[in-house]
Amino acid sequence: MTPSAPTPAYRRLSVEERRSQLLTSALDLFAHRAPEDVSLDDVAEAAGVSRPLVYRYFPGGKQQLYEAALSSAADELRHCFDEPLEGPLLPRLSRALDRYLTFVDQHAAGFSALLQGGSVVETSRTTAIVDGVRRAAAEHIFRHLEVTEPGPRLRMTVRMWITAVEASSLIWLDEDKQPPAEELRDWLVEQFVAMLSVTARRDPRTDALVQALTEDV
Amino acid sequence: MTPSAPTPAYRRLSVEERRSQLLTSALDLFAHRAPEDVSLDDVAEAAGVSRPLVYRYFPGGKQQLYEAALSSAADELRHCFDEPLEGPLLPRLSRALDRYLTFVDQHAAGFSALLQGGSVVETSRTTAIVDGVRRAAAEHIFRHLEVTEPGPRLRMTVRMWITAVEASSLIWLDEDKQPPAEELRDWLVEQFVAMLSVTARRDPRTDALVQALTEDV
């Protein structure tokens, strides 16, 4: 039996598998370093392939690779919001926040760089991807609250809370992940109820929601 | 009496006056249009001077002019926070928010473009300028609360509220400045107390602050 010569690993993958492998390597690098500190050579090395191969898949270079990695991270983030429409509402929110904070924890550097702005890879396209995730988060919340046409005051409150969640996760990363994720999660859920309660004083529809939320537990 | 030939207006100003006049014209343009839609020609025309003169003051072109205009807007924004350290606390916050919302109202387009990110003129320098304003806002709040060393939970709450104020002003601009500024202001003050109250459940120092805030009115 003659041992066959080892074929380079990158010949064995399909186009889709290869693309996905490169994105995984890129996401892993972007998770630990700011985008400006990641080169295409780093991505090639991490994936165990040549730099030209990376360029074959992403002819637009690092910017294209970054945007593709970001889209794939955005999809992953959207999955955090998948939560069955049953059972008490606040525990649903807790579970979604748990998944979200796990994501933030795992993608720390890339997440911060992207949301803090001013990054060299930030463009109107990357901003649109991030805004898409924010919109998806708001839509999920309205679906769970069973609100089909949120009024302006409720909409502003929910969008404000989503921004507050983002801001607090950045601060959390900045502060060496203190307080512990569970405390941050509970605090964010309580902030959600508190912010809605302020709006409820001026908006009867939000008031009805807050009643339902707090009776529901 | 022989009427003297009209001298071009731009000869009469000192270097500082000219610089300040160009910045005012630029700020006014950035207030009504996104930075990418403002050219140096527009600035020259608005200031009634030649394009080369604008370049003489801002050899770095539009980016330099934008950053200088932004710094000047940041100074203006910091002035909004100037509030005497006397009288009940929440009315102080109301007055600062009134000035802030007037600023937002007057600088709508530039303010949105900057904070929404992904703008062509956004760099790590512009991000640093904006972060400086956020830090100044937080410091003002702690000074008024007479807190010299805020703990991590209080710090996170205040920073989160500041982000929430930013987010709600962007949404407010997006929604044709509805609700009216006075309602938005009162709502933001109430959100401030509500957010602190959530933190107070876990943090005795914040609890003492909330007591003082609510007894103070």
Side-chain angles (χ1 to χ4, degrees), chain A residues 18 23 27 37 48 66 87 92 96 106 125 143 165 169:
Chain A
R18 171 65 64 199
L23 283 181
L27 267 177
D37 299 328
Y66 179 77
R92 297 188 212 167
Q106 287 167 353
R125 280 191 305 277
R143 196 170 316 132
V165 170
S169 4

Side-chain angles (χ1 to χ4, degrees), chain A residues 153 155 175 183 195, chain B residues 153 155 175 183 190 195:
Chain A
R153 287 176 179 76
R155 220 162 50 221
E175 305 255 351
E183 182 183 330
M195 288 185 188
Chain B
R153 288 176 178 77
R155 221 163 48 223
E175 305 254 350
E183 183 183 330
E190 291 173 32
M195 288 185 188

Side-chain angles (χ1 to χ4, degrees), chain B residues 133-210:
Chain B
V133 177
R134 288 181 186 129
R135 260 198 312 279
E139 282 157 18
H140 272 271
I141 290 174
F142 294 130
R143 195 170 316 133
H144 283 273
L145 294 175
E146 296 176 38
V147 175
T148 41
E149 284 183 27
R153 288 176 178 77
L154 174 60
R155 221 163 48 223
M156 187 184 275
T157 312
V158 167
R159 287 171 68 183
M160 194 167 102
W161 179 77
I162 291 169
T163 314
V165 170
E166 266 180 42
S168 58
S169 2
L170 284 175
I171 298 169
W172 183 63
L173 291 177
D174 226 36
E175 305 254 350
D176 291 322
K177 303 182 185 165
Q178 284 304 317
E182 297 71 32
E183 183 183 330
L184 180 60
R185 174 204 62 203
D186 290 344
W187 183 79
L188 287 170
V189 171
E190 291 173 32
Q191 291 290 2
F192 181 71
V193 179
M195 288 185 188
L196 283 178
S197 303
V198 169
T199 303
R201 294 176 205 159
R202 293 182 176 75
D203 186 35
R205 284 180 65 197
T206 306
D207 193 41
L209 278 179
V210 173

Side-chain angles (χ1 to χ4, degrees), chain A residues 21-63:
Chain A
Q21 181 221 13
L22 292 176
L23 283 181
T24 305
S25 299
L27 267 177
D28 190 49
L29 288 167
F30 290 130
H32 296 99
R33 282 187 249 157
E36 36 275 58
D37 299 328
V38 175
S39 71
L40 276 192
D41 280 331
D42 296 332
V43 176
E45 194 188 322
V49 303
S50 66
R51 190 186 153 94
L53 188 102
V54 180
Y55 263 106
R56 203 176 319 146
Y57 279 80
F58 299 98
K62 189 164 112 180
Q63 187 67 32

